[in-house]
Amino acid sequence: MTHVLDPGTLAAGTRPGPGPGTAFDDVTRSDAALRAFLHGLPGVDQVGAEQRAATLGTRSIKTTAKAWAIDTAISMVDLTTLEGADTPGRVRSLAAKARRPDPADPTAPAVAAVCVYGDLAGVAREALAGTGIRVAAVATAFPSGRASREVKLADVRDAVGNGADEIDMVIDRGAFLSGRYLEVFEEIVAVKEACGGAHLKVILETGELVTYDNARRASWLAMLAGADFVKTSTGKISPAATLPVCLVMLEAVRDFRAATGRQVGVKPAGGIRTTKDAVKHLVLVNETVGADWLSPDWFRLGASSLLNDLLLQRQKLRTGHYSGPDHVSVD
Amino acid sequence: MTDRLAVRKTSKLYLGGAFPRSESGRTYAVTDARGAFLANAAWASRKDARDAVVAARGAFAKWSGATAYNRGQVLYRVAEVMEGRQAQFCEEVAAGEGLSAGRARAVVDAAVDRWVWYAGWTDKLASVLGSANPVAGPFFDFSTPEPTGVVAVLAPQRSSLLGLVSVLAPVLAGGNTAVVVTSRDRPLPAVTLGEVLATSDVPGGVVNLLTGDAGEIGPWLAEHDDVDAIDLTGAPPAQAMELERLAAGSIKRVLRPPAEEPDWSADPGLSRMTPFLETKTVWHPIGL
């Protein structure tokens, strides 16, 4: 895919990334300019994207490559619990699992992060102290995003204050779908500011954006506004993370880096339940954006039940016989 | 138009309530007792066995949680539906086992009766095998039989229908779910039995029928951590000891194979149900 902005047009010496002084200042100056830019992005070939994702999904990953893929996938998991019934005890048990996913096998890597609601970020922070595992908190009136700007920003400050290293925000899909792009942009900028030092993941909720074109536009919008990660879904809407939508977002971060020099991470979340799904995503990353993104710093898998399936497959590879759900912890 | 194109059936596996081909894509030729070609059957692989165990585990809660009375009704329904397919079963048993039409008919009738027999047992097991235990304390103490879980069954190699029903029905009667590896050389009655099970109220996944080689799939099932018991009746005799050793790794219940295939028409008794039942004893405090 080519992009309307040639990286060559970047003025020499300009600082890459969004904000004052970048090549994209013009684009985000007004609603009309932003709309013109986003609608000027090349359209996604829907059949082509689905075909490409399906073809990559048929790759056969076996033996040592499979072992590597499983360990890599485990280290990329954002172990998530986002239920109304979450308790501090549940978050602590999840944190214990994040540190040592397979208690019987210390060689299993720890996961990347634990993802909780903002009010429980403090509990997670305490339980994960000194481990290097990050605490991610959802904020901005997750999952619907239906609240005023003040409430959303207060939600973010509260989560950061509770010790969250990463904030997962949702965009205002209503504003996006009705074409008020600048409003969405400004909101992301404001949230990014409220995050302070915390990483910002922007949830596009692609299931509600309906088209791949919208997913591409929303990815660019989030990246222009300063997102550190773009994330597919909240996990509360079906369809959530699908391979084609992940492909579209990966292409967007690839093109964004080519245009600005800034690398943005991708996090598919929701609906990834089996090792096979996770490996398909890793293949997609490697074939679309390359090995630069094959690390927990740049690619995450938002999931809860996926981890157990990864562990079962890991045990199968290690012992040579099939394992069972009695051999992993109950979430 | 008199010359009609033959509509041949593709024999498939019965797995999780559906009829898939083998994941491996393999098939093998099935011949009758005199060596003439009968059909191509799916040749199940270890991954089919793995999928079958997942299906059986998923179905276990519902089947074991059903009332014993309801399980009896469902097993009786299997007999009813089988009765309607009598002619097809007779033909397949006669061809596969080399029996006369009359002998095949007797075998099929016995197989239908065997379902009825075990259907009657479902709600009587607790009375016969359970007990109220006299204990020296203020407790009402009683024991009841509970299903073991997912049972892998290596079905008899010679008796392709009566033998199969005789090993499968007792596993189901107790409330277990089953992964069955059928007779390798005579799988066709099992394929038809799968179609009977699919249309007779047995929930999908409770019975999974894999046509193929017990010698190939047996070790994977014996070692599988999520299989709770294994019936080695149809295991290759030279391999039985090794399978038992593999099963010990996950502390499975093992039903050892008989020295040679028994006469399946004999009264079965309880001997094939009790190995796949666990005894649960409850101590209930009474008035202080």
Side-chain angles (χ1 to χ4, degrees), chain A residues 112-263:
Chain A
V114 168
C115 184
V116 293
Y117 272 114
D119 61 328
L120 290 165
V123 178
R125 171 83 282 152
E126 203 175 300
L128 292 170
T131 60
I133 299 169
R134 323 255 298 173
V135 176
V138 294
T140 70
F142 181 94
S144 66
R146 297 256 69 88
S148 69
R149 179 86 47 98
E150 289 72 34
V151 171
K152 288 180 183 179
L153 294 179
D155 195 7
V156 172
R157 288 190 205 99
D158 181 53
V160 174
N162 284 337
D165 304 305
E166 302 174 352
I167 295 296
D168 288 26
M169 72 167 288
V170 288
I171 63 167
D172 183 344
R173 280 88 74 190
F176 183 91
L177 289 171
S178 51
R180 287 176 278 132
Y181 297 128
L182 196 63
E183 193 178 316
V184 181
F185 175 84
E186 283 168 351
E187 186 164 281
I188 299 172
V189 170
V191 170
K192 172 75 181 163
E193 201 180 317
C195 282
H199 267 59
L200 177 63
K201 301 199 201 97
V202 178
I203 303 172
L204 311 179
E205 194 63 296
T206 51
E208 290 185 343
L209 298 184
V210 186
T211 66
Y212 294 133
D213 284 341
N214 276 343
R216 175 173 284 173
R217 285 172 196 147
S219 303
W220 272 89
L221 181 63
M223 291 186 292
L224 289 172
D228 299 301
F229 258 85
V230 284
K231 174 175 168 183
T232 58
S233 333
T234 57
K236 306 286 184 195
I237 297 279
S238 188
T242 63
L243 274 180
V245 92
C246 192
L247 172 70
V248 168
M249 290 167 65
L250 285 165
E251 286 175 350
V253 299
R254 179 192 63 194
D255 297 339
F256 186 77
R257 187 175 74 165
T260 67
R262 190 168 80 89
Q263 187 167 344

Side-chain angles (χ1 to χ4, degrees), chain A residues 264-315:
Chain A
V264 174
V266 176
K267 175 179 171 185
I272 306 170
R273 294 199 179 84
T274 64
T275 300
K276 209 170 241 182
D277 288 340
V279 171
K280 283 179 188 176
H281 276 91
L282 293 183
V283 170
L284 195 66
V285 170
N286 194 52
E287 297 299 318
T288 310
V289 292
D292 287 358
W293 266 267
L294 275 179
S295 114
D297 293 336
W298 301 109
F299 193 74
R300 296 279 182 84
L301 296 160
S304 42
S305 55
L306 168 66
L307 183 57
N308 274 350
D309 195 62
L310 287 166
L311 294 174
L312 289 177
Q313 294 284 336
R314 203 173 182 280
Q315 289 170 1

Side-chain angles (χ1 to χ4, degrees), chain A residues 68-111:
Chain A
W68 180 88
I70 288 172
D71 278 7
T72 306
I74 292 174
S75 72
M76 287 174 169
V77 166
D78 273 13
L79 198 54
T80 305
T81 180
L82 296 170
E83 305 294 333
D86 284 346
T87 59
R90 179 169 159 72
V91 171
R92 277 192 284 268
S93 77
L94 205 67
K97 182 164 186 173
R99 282 205 303 248
R100 181 66 78 80
D102 189 346
D105 182 7
T107 64
V111 305

